[in-house]
């Protein structure tokens, strides 16, 4: 392991100053991803700025929105009464991830910025354009069962592994950011980049920009929402395909509004904008859900070992929305 300094910040300004003083500083949340990457020398920071002293508050406001501090632990967020009542898809997504012990350590900020689980990213004997730009990609012809079918490029098909982020994408969450140039807000769905020919650049964050909070706008119909995760083991496994969805159906069976995002299929949490647009005003039937799923996956491309995920994703979408519509999934 490369030597590094350690400092703990109690507020955003101090964290930004500390990080700015070291060329390769990294913020440290629960460390459940970053420390593993440091052990493998995939990440080699010269300074760790511990940001677990930042806000751990979850503020449920009267207007139905919720403000979540970046240092809130995954366990606390999943268990919060307002989240379980008004945004059950978020509780379910978090609880579908990792293990109890990891969720007790993992923070909201760290979960959003966790790195991919592509096997070749972790294997320094393999070629990986994300780890070593220009090196090539051994996933293309290798063991790519977990890799992306949407938004990938020749250079990289690594997926974003977070379950929580899939729910945040469906909920149109806003991130509060702070950095040397001041504060700003962006949508979670804008944070992660598609790889194109630069898979090493994963987000639109500026150097040492800090996530300080996540804001969920009010969405009354999200009280009827869920998260479905298909994986190789019943627990402690990343998603092959997952879906976070909320559905608002009028008395006549027409869809008033819908939110849908997919996990395990793309280099970023994938908001299914095409499917959503097709479904607004359509009947809440399995046939309509399947048609929308076909449209969302129309541009999906399989690799040597993951083409099955295209049909799987269509079935996960159809089953998840059918369940929310009150049918048998
Ligand atoms: C065995 C195992 C199984 C897992 N299974 C799943 C799973 O099924 N689903 C799932 O979603 N996840 C899973 N995870 C991943 C886990 O959810 C993440 O490791 C965790 O959420 C990361 O949070 P952290 O606070 O520990 O982040 P850290 O490891 O501390 O940090 C991760 C990254 O975020 C950056 N960072 C941290 N906080 C901030 C901030 N406030 N602002 C800017 N940057 C910041 C760090 O610099 C680092 O780059 C698994 C992990 C393990 C080890």
């Amino acid at each position: 392991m490369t030597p590094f300094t350690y400092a703990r910040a109690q507020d955003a300004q101090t964290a930004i100053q500390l990080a700015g003083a070291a060329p390769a500083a990294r913020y440290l949340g629960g460390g459940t991803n970053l420390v593993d990457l440091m052990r493998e020398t995939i990440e080699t920071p010269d300074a760790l700025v511990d940001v677990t002293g930042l806000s751990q508050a979850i503020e449920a406001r009267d207007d139905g929105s919720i403000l979540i501090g970046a240092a809130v632990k995954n366990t606390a967020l999943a268990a919060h009464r307002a989240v379980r009542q008004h945004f059950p898809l978020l509780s379910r997504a978090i609880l579908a991830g990792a293990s109890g012990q990891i969720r007790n350590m993992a923070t909201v900020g760290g979960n959003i910025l966790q790195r991919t689980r592509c096997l070749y990213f972790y294997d320094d004997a393999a070629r990986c354009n994300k780890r070593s730009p220009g090196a090539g990609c051994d996933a293309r012809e290798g063991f790519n069962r977990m890799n992306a079918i949407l938004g990938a490029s020749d250079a990289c098909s690594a997926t974003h592994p977070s379950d929580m982020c899939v729910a945040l994408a469906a909920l149109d969450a806003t991130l509060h950011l702070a950095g040397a140039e001041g504060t700003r807000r962006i949508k979670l769905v804008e944070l992660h980049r598609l790889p194109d020919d630069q898979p090493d650049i994963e987000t639109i964050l500026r150097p040492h920009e800090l996530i300080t909070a996540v804001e969920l706008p009010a969405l009354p119909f999200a009280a009827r929402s869920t998260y479905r995760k298909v994986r190789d083991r019943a627990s402690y496994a990343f998603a092959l395909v997952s879906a976070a969805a909320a559905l608002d159906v009028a008395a006549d069976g027409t869809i008033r509004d819908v939110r849908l995002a997919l996990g395990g299929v793309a280099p970023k949490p994938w908001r299914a904008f095409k499917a959503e647009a097709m479904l607004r005003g359509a009947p809440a039937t399995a046939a309509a859900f399947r048609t929308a799923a076909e449209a969302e996956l129309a541009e999906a491309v399989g690799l040597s070992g993951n083409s099955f995920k295209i049909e799987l994703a269509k079935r996960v979408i159809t089953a998840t929305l059918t369940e929310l519509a009150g049918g048998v999934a």
Side-chain angles (χ1 to χ4, degrees), residues 27-34 51 70 74 97-98 102 106-107 109-111 113-114 117 161-163 209-211 229 236-238:
Y27 295 122
L28 180 70
T32 61
N33 186 219
L34 181 57
V51 289
N74 283 189
I102 291 169
T107 61
N111 188 309
L113 289 171
Q114 63 175 291
R117 293 281 160 169
S162 167
D163 291 296
E209 207 167 18
L210 183 68
I211 298 175
K229 177 173 178 180
Y236 218 45
F238 290 89

PDB file of all heavy atoms in Angstrom, residues 27-34 51 70 74 97-98 102 106-107 109-111 113-114 117 161-163 209-211 229 236-238, ligand 1:
ATOM      1  N   TYR A  27     -11.756  11.451  -0.664  1.00  0.00           N
ATOM      2  CA  TYR A  27     -12.650  11.482   0.490  1.00  0.00           C
ATOM      3  C   TYR A  27     -12.899  10.052   0.943  1.00  0.00           C
ATOM      4  O   TYR A  27     -13.016   9.136   0.121  1.00  0.00           O
ATOM      5  CB  TYR A  27     -13.970  12.163   0.121  1.00  0.00           C
ATOM      6  CG  TYR A  27     -13.790  13.624  -0.232  1.00  0.00           C
ATOM      7  CD1 TYR A  27     -14.181  14.124  -1.480  1.00  0.00           C
ATOM      8  CD2 TYR A  27     -13.219  14.500   0.690  1.00  0.00           C
ATOM      9  CE1 TYR A  27     -14.003  15.453  -1.799  1.00  0.00           C
ATOM     10  CE2 TYR A  27     -13.032  15.845   0.367  1.00  0.00           C
ATOM     11  CZ  TYR A  27     -13.431  16.319  -0.878  1.00  0.00           C
ATOM     12  OH  TYR A  27     -13.246  17.638  -1.195  1.00  0.00           O
ATOM     13  N   LEU A  28     -13.000   9.875   2.249  1.00  0.00           N
ATOM     14  CA  LEU A  28     -13.258   8.547   2.817  1.00  0.00           C
ATOM     15  C   LEU A  28     -14.620   8.542   3.498  1.00  0.00           C
ATOM     16  O   LEU A  28     -14.855   9.296   4.431  1.00  0.00           O
ATOM     17  CB  LEU A  28     -12.168   8.209   3.850  1.00  0.00           C
ATOM     18  CG  LEU A  28     -12.293   6.850   4.539  1.00  0.00           C
ATOM     19  CD1 LEU A  28     -12.005   5.705   3.570  1.00  0.00           C
ATOM     20  CD2 LEU A  28     -11.340   6.778   5.736  1.00  0.00           C
ATOM     21  N   GLY A  29     -15.525   7.707   2.968  1.00  0.00           N
ATOM     22  CA  GLY A  29     -16.805   7.496   3.652  1.00  0.00           C
ATOM     23  C   GLY A  29     -16.625   6.303   4.578  1.00  0.00           C
ATOM     24  O   GLY A  29     -15.728   6.273   5.423  1.00  0.00           O
ATOM     25  N   GLY A  30     -17.441   5.288   4.414  1.00  0.00           N
ATOM     26  CA  GLY A  30     -17.298   4.081   5.235  1.00  0.00           C
ATOM     27  C   GLY A  30     -16.068   3.272   4.870  1.00  0.00           C
ATOM     28  O   GLY A  30     -15.669   2.367   5.606  1.00  0.00           O
ATOM     29  N   GLY A  31     -15.482   3.548   3.716  1.00  0.00           N
ATOM     30  CA  GLY A  31     -14.266   2.858   3.285  1.00  0.00           C
ATOM     31  C   GLY A  31     -14.509   1.462   2.724  1.00  0.00           C
ATOM     32  O   GLY A  31     -13.557   0.753   2.400  1.00  0.00           O
ATOM     33  N   THR A  32     -15.770   1.058   2.589  1.00  0.00           N
ATOM     34  CA  THR A  32     -16.047  -0.331   2.192  1.00  0.00           C
ATOM     35  C   THR A  32     -15.683  -0.613   0.738  1.00  0.00           C
ATOM     36  O   THR A  32     -15.519  -1.775   0.364  1.00  0.00           O
ATOM     37  CB  THR A  32     -17.529  -0.693   2.422  1.00  0.00           C
ATOM     38  OG1 THR A  32     -18.345   0.162   1.619  1.00  0.00           O
ATOM     39  CG2 THR A  32     -17.923  -0.572   3.874  1.00  0.00           C
ATOM     40  N   ASN A  33     -15.530   0.402  -0.054  1.00  0.00           N
ATOM     41  CA  ASN A  33     -15.055   0.224  -1.424  1.00  0.00           C
ATOM     42  C   ASN A  33     -13.646   0.782  -1.584  1.00  0.00           C
ATOM     43  O   ASN A  33     -12.742   0.115  -2.090  1.00  0.00           O
ATOM     44  CB  ASN A  33     -16.028   0.901  -2.398  1.00  0.00           C
ATOM     45  CG  ASN A  33     -15.682   0.648  -3.862  1.00  0.00           C
ATOM     46  OD1 ASN A  33     -15.802   1.531  -4.685  1.00  0.00           O
ATOM     47  ND2 ASN A  33     -15.265  -0.568  -4.195  1.00  0.00           N
ATOM     48  N   LEU A  34     -13.438   1.997  -1.092  1.00  0.00           N
ATOM     49  CA  LEU A  34     -12.148   2.662  -1.304  1.00  0.00           C
ATOM     50  C   LEU A  34     -10.993   1.881  -0.669  1.00  0.00           C
ATOM     51  O   LEU A  34      -9.929   1.721  -1.277  1.00  0.00           O
ATOM     52  CB  LEU A  34     -12.204   4.087  -0.741  1.00  0.00           C
ATOM     53  CG  LEU A  34     -10.940   4.926  -0.903  1.00  0.00           C
ATOM     54  CD1 LEU A  34     -10.537   5.039  -2.378  1.00  0.00           C
ATOM     55  CD2 LEU A  34     -11.122   6.317  -0.307  1.00  0.00           C
ATOM     56  N   VAL A  51     -14.845  11.932   5.662  1.00  0.00           N
ATOM     57  CA  VAL A  51     -16.004  12.835   5.636  1.00  0.00           C
ATOM     58  C   VAL A  51     -17.208  12.239   6.376  1.00  0.00           C
ATOM     59  O   VAL A  51     -18.342  12.676   6.187  1.00  0.00           O
ATOM     60  CB  VAL A  51     -16.386  13.226   4.181  1.00  0.00           C
ATOM     61  CG1 VAL A  51     -15.337  14.146   3.597  1.00  0.00           C
ATOM     62  CG2 VAL A  51     -16.598  11.995   3.291  1.00  0.00           C
ATOM     63  N   ALA A  70     -24.855  13.589   3.290  1.00  0.00           N
ATOM     64  CA  ALA A  70     -24.018  12.636   2.540  1.00  0.00           C
ATOM     65  C   ALA A  70     -23.392  11.581   3.433  1.00  0.00           C
ATOM     66  O   ALA A  70     -23.022  10.508   2.961  1.00  0.00           O
ATOM     67  CB  ALA A  70     -22.912  13.401   1.810  1.00  0.00           C
ATOM     68  N   ASN A  74     -26.151   3.836   5.116  1.00  0.00           N
ATOM     69  CA  ASN A  74     -27.165   3.143   4.311  1.00  0.00           C
ATOM     70  C   ASN A  74     -28.244   2.515   5.201  1.00  0.00           C
ATOM     71  O   ASN A  74     -29.436   2.569   4.883  1.00  0.00           O
ATOM     72  CB  ASN A  74     -26.513   2.064   3.453  1.00  0.00           C
ATOM     73  CG  ASN A  74     -25.802   2.626   2.220  1.00  0.00           C
ATOM     74  OD1 ASN A  74     -25.375   1.883   1.355  1.00  0.00           O
ATOM     75  ND2 ASN A  74     -25.663   3.946   2.122  1.00  0.00           N
ATOM     76  N   GLY A  97     -28.899  -4.565  -1.205  1.00  0.00           N
ATOM     77  CA  GLY A  97     -27.469  -4.469  -1.504  1.00  0.00           C
ATOM     78  C   GLY A  97     -26.589  -4.933  -0.358  1.00  0.00           C
ATOM     79  O   GLY A  97     -26.938  -4.792   0.823  1.00  0.00           O
ATOM     80  N   ALA A  98     -25.458  -5.507  -0.709  1.00  0.00           N
ATOM     81  CA  ALA A  98     -24.377  -5.828   0.245  1.00  0.00           C
ATOM     82  C   ALA A  98     -24.878  -6.687   1.403  1.00  0.00           C
ATOM     83  O   ALA A  98     -25.652  -7.615   1.209  1.00  0.00           O
ATOM     84  CB  ALA A  98     -23.714  -4.535   0.725  1.00  0.00           C
ATOM     85  N   ILE A 102     -21.983  -4.240   6.031  1.00  0.00           N
ATOM     86  CA  ILE A 102     -21.485  -3.237   5.077  1.00  0.00           C
ATOM     87  C   ILE A 102     -22.418  -2.029   5.056  1.00  0.00           C
ATOM     88  O   ILE A 102     -21.974  -0.875   5.053  1.00  0.00           O
ATOM     89  CB  ILE A 102     -21.332  -3.855   3.676  1.00  0.00           C
ATOM     90  CG1 ILE A 102     -20.179  -4.873   3.702  1.00  0.00           C
ATOM     91  CG2 ILE A 102     -21.058  -2.785   2.612  1.00  0.00           C
ATOM     92  CD1 ILE A 102     -20.086  -5.745   2.476  1.00  0.00           C
ATOM     93  N   ALA A 106     -21.421   1.834   5.218  1.00  0.00           N
ATOM     94  CA  ALA A 106     -21.481   2.570   3.939  1.00  0.00           C
ATOM     95  C   ALA A 106     -22.294   3.852   4.070  1.00  0.00           C
ATOM     96  O   ALA A 106     -23.361   3.863   4.689  1.00  0.00           O
ATOM     97  CB  ALA A 106     -22.090   1.672   2.869  1.00  0.00           C
ATOM     98  N   THR A 107     -21.806   4.904   3.443  1.00  0.00           N
ATOM     99  CA  THR A 107     -22.478   6.205   3.475  1.00  0.00           C
ATOM    100  C   THR A 107     -23.181   6.473   2.147  1.00  0.00           C
ATOM    101  O   THR A 107     -22.878   5.846   1.127  1.00  0.00           O
ATOM    102  CB  THR A 107     -21.443   7.320   3.699  1.00  0.00           C
ATOM    103  OG1 THR A 107     -20.507   7.301   2.602  1.00  0.00           O
ATOM    104  CG2 THR A 107     -20.689   7.143   5.011  1.00  0.00           C
ATOM    105  N   GLY A 109     -22.899   9.211   0.292  1.00  0.00           N
ATOM    106  CA  GLY A 109     -21.938   9.752  -0.684  1.00  0.00           C
ATOM    107  C   GLY A 109     -21.069   8.659  -1.279  1.00  0.00           C
ATOM    108  O   GLY A 109     -20.833   8.623  -2.492  1.00  0.00           O
ATOM    109  N   GLY A 110     -20.584   7.754  -0.427  1.00  0.00           N
ATOM    110  CA  GLY A 110     -19.711   6.684  -0.905  1.00  0.00           C
ATOM    111  C   GLY A 110     -20.436   5.684  -1.772  1.00  0.00           C
ATOM    112  O   GLY A 110     -19.877   5.170  -2.756  1.00  0.00           O
ATOM    113  N   ASN A 111     -21.686   5.408  -1.449  1.00  0.00           N
ATOM    114  CA  ASN A 111     -22.463   4.472  -2.273  1.00  0.00           C
ATOM    115  C   ASN A 111     -22.615   5.018  -3.690  1.00  0.00           C
ATOM    116  O   ASN A 111     -22.461   4.296  -4.674  1.00  0.00           O
ATOM    117  CB  ASN A 111     -23.834   4.235  -1.629  1.00  0.00           C
ATOM    118  CG  ASN A 111     -24.603   3.125  -2.322  1.00  0.00           C
ATOM    119  OD1 ASN A 111     -24.748   3.149  -3.537  1.00  0.00           O
ATOM    120  ND2 ASN A 111     -25.096   2.161  -1.563  1.00  0.00           N
ATOM    121  N   LEU A 113     -20.649   6.999  -5.245  1.00  0.00           N
ATOM    122  CA  LEU A 113     -19.371   7.067  -5.980  1.00  0.00           C
ATOM    123  C   LEU A 113     -18.561   5.777  -5.911  1.00  0.00           C
ATOM    124  O   LEU A 113     -17.373   5.761  -6.251  1.00  0.00           O
ATOM    125  CB  LEU A 113     -18.557   8.256  -5.482  1.00  0.00           C
ATOM    126  CG  LEU A 113     -19.173   9.585  -5.924  1.00  0.00           C
ATOM    127  CD1 LEU A 113     -18.501  10.760  -5.244  1.00  0.00           C
ATOM    128  CD2 LEU A 113     -19.109   9.751  -7.436  1.00  0.00           C
ATOM    129  N   GLN A 114     -19.194   4.679  -5.497  1.00  0.00           N
ATOM    130  CA  GLN A 114     -18.479   3.395  -5.517  1.00  0.00           C
ATOM    131  C   GLN A 114     -18.109   3.052  -6.953  1.00  0.00           C
ATOM    132  O   GLN A 114     -18.777   3.455  -7.904  1.00  0.00           O
ATOM    133  CB  GLN A 114     -19.333   2.290  -4.900  1.00  0.00           C
ATOM    134  CG  GLN A 114     -20.620   1.988  -5.639  1.00  0.00           C
ATOM    135  CD  GLN A 114     -21.363   0.795  -5.026  1.00  0.00           C
ATOM    136  OE1 GLN A 114     -20.908  -0.319  -5.121  1.00  0.00           O
ATOM    137  NE2 GLN A 114     -22.507   1.054  -4.420  1.00  0.00           N
ATOM    138  N   ARG A 117     -17.720  -3.150 -10.400  1.00  0.00           N
ATOM    139  CA  ARG A 117     -17.289  -4.480  -9.956  1.00  0.00           C
ATOM    140  C   ARG A 117     -16.840  -5.338 -11.126  1.00  0.00           C
ATOM    141  O   ARG A 117     -16.717  -6.560 -10.981  1.00  0.00           O
ATOM    142  CB  ARG A 117     -18.440  -5.163  -9.223  1.00  0.00           C
ATOM    143  CG  ARG A 117     -18.780  -4.481  -7.918  1.00  0.00           C
ATOM    144  CD  ARG A 117     -17.796  -4.870  -6.844  1.00  0.00           C
ATOM    145  NE  ARG A 117     -17.800  -3.893  -5.749  1.00  0.00           N
ATOM    146  CZ  ARG A 117     -17.193  -4.088  -4.600  1.00  0.00           C
ATOM    147  NH1 ARG A 117     -16.523  -5.192  -4.384  1.00  0.00           N
ATOM    148  NH2 ARG A 117     -17.220  -3.171  -3.670  1.00  0.00           N
ATOM    149  N   PRO A 161     -22.422  -0.390 -10.026  1.00  0.00           N
ATOM    150  CA  PRO A 161     -22.978  -1.493  -9.240  1.00  0.00           C
ATOM    151  C   PRO A 161     -24.031  -1.126  -8.190  1.00  0.00           C
ATOM    152  O   PRO A 161     -24.618  -2.011  -7.589  1.00  0.00           O
ATOM    153  CB  PRO A 161     -21.730  -2.054  -8.535  1.00  0.00           C
ATOM    154  CG  PRO A 161     -20.831  -0.871  -8.380  1.00  0.00           C
ATOM    155  CD  PRO A 161     -21.106   0.047  -9.537  1.00  0.00           C
ATOM    156  N   SER A 162     -24.278   0.152  -7.967  1.00  0.00           N
ATOM    157  CA  SER A 162     -25.121   0.526  -6.820  1.00  0.00           C
ATOM    158  C   SER A 162     -26.586   0.171  -7.023  1.00  0.00           C
ATOM    159  O   SER A 162     -27.172   0.466  -8.071  1.00  0.00           O
ATOM    160  CB  SER A 162     -25.006   2.028  -6.581  1.00  0.00           C
ATOM    161  OG  SER A 162     -26.022   2.472  -5.700  1.00  0.00           O
ATOM    162  N   ASP A 163     -27.200  -0.401  -5.993  1.00  0.00           N
ATOM    163  CA  ASP A 163     -28.664  -0.572  -5.980  1.00  0.00           C
ATOM    164  C   ASP A 163     -29.339   0.739  -5.582  1.00  0.00           C
ATOM    165  O   ASP A 163     -30.324   1.144  -6.196  1.00  0.00           O
ATOM    166  CB  ASP A 163     -29.049  -1.673  -4.979  1.00  0.00           C
ATOM    167  CG  ASP A 163     -28.606  -3.050  -5.444  1.00  0.00           C
ATOM    168  OD1 ASP A 163     -29.117  -3.505  -6.484  1.00  0.00           O
ATOM    169  OD2 ASP A 163     -27.747  -3.665  -4.799  1.00  0.00           O
ATOM    170  N   GLU A 209     -14.451  17.695  -5.721  1.00  0.00           N
ATOM    171  CA  GLU A 209     -15.811  18.145  -5.417  1.00  0.00           C
ATOM    172  C   GLU A 209     -16.455  17.107  -4.498  1.00  0.00           C
ATOM    173  O   GLU A 209     -16.299  15.901  -4.688  1.00  0.00           O
ATOM    174  CB  GLU A 209     -16.623  18.314  -6.703  1.00  0.00           C
ATOM    175  CG  GLU A 209     -17.718  19.335  -6.563  1.00  0.00           C
ATOM    176  CD  GLU A 209     -18.331  19.753  -7.894  1.00  0.00           C
ATOM    177  OE1 GLU A 209     -18.154  19.032  -8.908  1.00  0.00           O
ATOM    178  OE2 GLU A 209     -18.984  20.788  -7.928  1.00  0.00           O
ATOM    179  N   LEU A 210     -17.181  17.622  -3.523  1.00  0.00           N
ATOM    180  CA  LEU A 210     -17.735  16.796  -2.453  1.00  0.00           C
ATOM    181  C   LEU A 210     -19.254  16.724  -2.608  1.00  0.00           C
ATOM    182  O   LEU A 210     -19.899  17.726  -2.904  1.00  0.00           O
ATOM    183  CB  LEU A 210     -17.376  17.480  -1.121  1.00  0.00           C
ATOM    184  CG  LEU A 210     -17.748  16.851   0.194  1.00  0.00           C
ATOM    185  CD1 LEU A 210     -16.952  15.566   0.427  1.00  0.00           C
ATOM    186  CD2 LEU A 210     -17.460  17.852   1.329  1.00  0.00           C
ATOM    187  N   ILE A 211     -19.820  15.532  -2.410  1.00  0.00           N
ATOM    188  CA  ILE A 211     -21.284  15.423  -2.297  1.00  0.00           C
ATOM    189  C   ILE A 211     -21.618  15.760  -0.850  1.00  0.00           C
ATOM    190  O   ILE A 211     -21.097  15.123   0.072  1.00  0.00           O
ATOM    191  CB  ILE A 211     -21.773  14.004  -2.633  1.00  0.00           C
ATOM    192  CG1 ILE A 211     -21.427  13.631  -4.071  1.00  0.00           C
ATOM    193  CG2 ILE A 211     -23.291  13.888  -2.405  1.00  0.00           C
ATOM    194  CD1 ILE A 211     -21.762  12.184  -4.448  1.00  0.00           C
ATOM    195  N   LYS A 229     -34.684  -7.081  -7.801  1.00  0.00           N
ATOM    196  CA  LYS A 229     -33.274  -7.327  -8.143  1.00  0.00           C
ATOM    197  C   LYS A 229     -33.103  -8.800  -8.499  1.00  0.00           C
ATOM    198  O   LYS A 229     -33.413  -9.665  -7.685  1.00  0.00           O
ATOM    199  CB  LYS A 229     -32.401  -6.959  -6.941  1.00  0.00           C
ATOM    200  CG  LYS A 229     -30.915  -7.225  -7.116  1.00  0.00           C
ATOM    201  CD  LYS A 229     -30.134  -6.671  -5.928  1.00  0.00           C
ATOM    202  CE  LYS A 229     -28.650  -6.965  -6.030  1.00  0.00           C
ATOM    203  NZ  LYS A 229     -27.880  -6.442  -4.897  1.00  0.00           N
ATOM    204  N   TYR A 236     -26.042 -10.866  -0.951  1.00  0.00           N
ATOM    205  CA  TYR A 236     -24.613 -10.612  -1.048  1.00  0.00           C
ATOM    206  C   TYR A 236     -24.122 -10.777  -2.482  1.00  0.00           C
ATOM    207  O   TYR A 236     -23.055 -11.345  -2.718  1.00  0.00           O
ATOM    208  CB  TYR A 236     -23.893 -11.631  -0.127  1.00  0.00           C
ATOM    209  CG  TYR A 236     -22.703 -11.060   0.600  1.00  0.00           C
ATOM    210  CD1 TYR A 236     -22.761  -9.830   1.202  1.00  0.00           C
ATOM    211  CD2 TYR A 236     -21.518 -11.775   0.685  1.00  0.00           C
ATOM    212  CE1 TYR A 236     -21.672  -9.322   1.870  1.00  0.00           C
ATOM    213  CE2 TYR A 236     -20.420 -11.273   1.353  1.00  0.00           C
ATOM    214  CZ  TYR A 236     -20.503 -10.047   1.950  1.00  0.00           C
ATOM    215  OH  TYR A 236     -19.421  -9.553   2.614  1.00  0.00           O
ATOM    216  N   ALA A 237     -24.906 -10.317  -3.435  1.00  0.00           N
ATOM    217  CA  ALA A 237     -24.493 -10.391  -4.838  1.00  0.00           C
ATOM    218  C   ALA A 237     -24.983  -9.138  -5.553  1.00  0.00           C
ATOM    219  O   ALA A 237     -26.052  -8.604  -5.225  1.00  0.00           O
ATOM    220  CB  ALA A 237     -25.069 -11.633  -5.503  1.00  0.00           C
ATOM    221  N   PHE A 238     -24.209  -8.697  -6.517  1.00  0.00           N
ATOM    222  CA  PHE A 238     -24.593  -7.521  -7.295  1.00  0.00           C
ATOM    223  C   PHE A 238     -25.657  -7.912  -8.322  1.00  0.00           C
ATOM    224  O   PHE A 238     -25.795  -9.092  -8.671  1.00  0.00           O
ATOM    225  CB  PHE A 238     -23.356  -6.920  -7.969  1.00  0.00           C
ATOM    226  CG  PHE A 238     -22.434  -6.279  -6.976  1.00  0.00           C
ATOM    227  CD1 PHE A 238     -21.432  -7.012  -6.357  1.00  0.00           C
ATOM    228  CD2 PHE A 238     -22.605  -4.953  -6.610  1.00  0.00           C
ATOM    229  CE1 PHE A 238     -20.609  -6.431  -5.404  1.00  0.00           C
ATOM    230  CE2 PHE A 238     -21.781  -4.359  -5.652  1.00  0.00           C
ATOM    231  CZ  PHE A 238     -20.781  -5.101  -5.058  1.00  0.00           C
TER     232      PHE A 238
HETATM  233  C1  LIG B   1     -18.795  -7.779  -0.395  1.00  0.00           C
HETATM  234  C2  LIG B   1     -19.521  -6.541  -0.887  1.00  0.00           C
HETATM  235  C3  LIG B   1     -20.778  -6.684  -1.460  1.00  0.00           C
HETATM  236  C4  LIG B   1     -21.449  -5.559  -1.912  1.00  0.00           C
HETATM  237  N1  LIG B   1     -22.680  -5.706  -2.495  1.00  0.00           N
HETATM  238  C5  LIG B   1     -23.343  -4.598  -2.933  1.00  0.00           C
HETATM  239  C6  LIG B   1     -24.625  -4.701  -3.557  1.00  0.00           C
HETATM  240  O1  LIG B   1     -25.164  -5.792  -3.730  1.00  0.00           O
HETATM  241  N2  LIG B   1     -25.210  -3.555  -3.977  1.00  0.00           N
HETATM  242  C7  LIG B   1     -24.652  -2.333  -3.802  1.00  0.00           C
HETATM  243  O2  LIG B   1     -25.234  -1.333  -4.189  1.00  0.00           O
HETATM  244  N3  LIG B   1     -23.418  -2.211  -3.243  1.00  0.00           N
HETATM  245  C8  LIG B   1     -22.783  -3.303  -2.796  1.00  0.00           C
HETATM  246  N4  LIG B   1     -21.543  -3.173  -2.237  1.00  0.00           N
HETATM  247  C9  LIG B   1     -20.882  -1.886  -2.288  1.00  0.00           C
HETATM  248  C10 LIG B   1     -21.185  -0.996  -1.113  1.00  0.00           C
HETATM  249  O3  LIG B   1     -22.530  -0.584  -1.200  1.00  0.00           O
HETATM  250  C11 LIG B   1     -20.245   0.179  -1.242  1.00  0.00           C
HETATM  251  O4  LIG B   1     -18.943  -0.286  -0.949  1.00  0.00           O
HETATM  252  C12 LIG B   1     -20.621   1.315  -0.295  1.00  0.00           C
HETATM  253  O5  LIG B   1     -21.901   1.809  -0.554  1.00  0.00           O
HETATM  254  C13 LIG B   1     -19.623   2.446  -0.447  1.00  0.00           C
HETATM  255  O6  LIG B   1     -19.865   3.403   0.564  1.00  0.00           O
HETATM  256  P1  LIG B   1     -18.684   3.898   1.516  1.00  0.00           P
HETATM  257  O7  LIG B   1     -19.225   4.991   2.347  1.00  0.00           O
HETATM  258  O8  LIG B   1     -18.042   2.760   2.227  1.00  0.00           O
HETATM  259  O9  LIG B   1     -17.704   4.462   0.402  1.00  0.00           O
HETATM  260  P2  LIG B   1     -16.119   4.594   0.404  1.00  0.00           P
HETATM  261  O10 LIG B   1     -15.510   3.273   0.123  1.00  0.00           O
HETATM  262  O11 LIG B   1     -15.649   5.316   1.619  1.00  0.00           O
HETATM  263  O12 LIG B   1     -15.930   5.571  -0.837  1.00  0.00           O
HETATM  264  C14 LIG B   1     -16.301   5.195  -2.152  1.00  0.00           C
HETATM  265  C15 LIG B   1     -15.939   6.357  -3.087  1.00  0.00           C
HETATM  266  O13 LIG B   1     -16.752   7.490  -2.797  1.00  0.00           O
HETATM  267  C16 LIG B   1     -15.940   8.642  -2.532  1.00  0.00           C
HETATM  268  N5  LIG B   1     -16.687   9.428  -1.543  1.00  0.00           N
HETATM  269  C17 LIG B   1     -17.160   8.983  -0.349  1.00  0.00           C
HETATM  270  N6  LIG B   1     -17.936   9.946   0.206  1.00  0.00           N
HETATM  271  C18 LIG B   1     -17.915  11.004  -0.621  1.00  0.00           C
HETATM  272  C19 LIG B   1     -18.535  12.301  -0.608  1.00  0.00           C
HETATM  273  N7  LIG B   1     -19.346  12.704   0.385  1.00  0.00           N
HETATM  274  N8  LIG B   1     -18.300  13.137  -1.641  1.00  0.00           N
HETATM  275  C20 LIG B   1     -17.500  12.766  -2.674  1.00  0.00           C
HETATM  276  N9  LIG B   1     -16.886  11.552  -2.738  1.00  0.00           N
HETATM  277  C21 LIG B   1     -17.112  10.684  -1.740  1.00  0.00           C
HETATM  278  C22 LIG B   1     -14.631   8.077  -2.063  1.00  0.00           C
HETATM  279  O14 LIG B   1     -13.554   8.991  -2.292  1.00  0.00           O
HETATM  280  C23 LIG B   1     -14.506   6.835  -2.930  1.00  0.00           C
HETATM  281  O15 LIG B   1     -14.014   7.203  -4.206  1.00  0.00           O
HETATM  282  C24 LIG B   1     -20.850  -4.282  -1.770  1.00  0.00           C
HETATM  283  C25 LIG B   1     -19.605  -4.148  -1.167  1.00  0.00           C
HETATM  284  C26 LIG B   1     -18.936  -5.257  -0.724  1.00  0.00           C
HETATM  285  C27 LIG B   1     -17.579  -5.086  -0.087  1.00  0.00           C
END
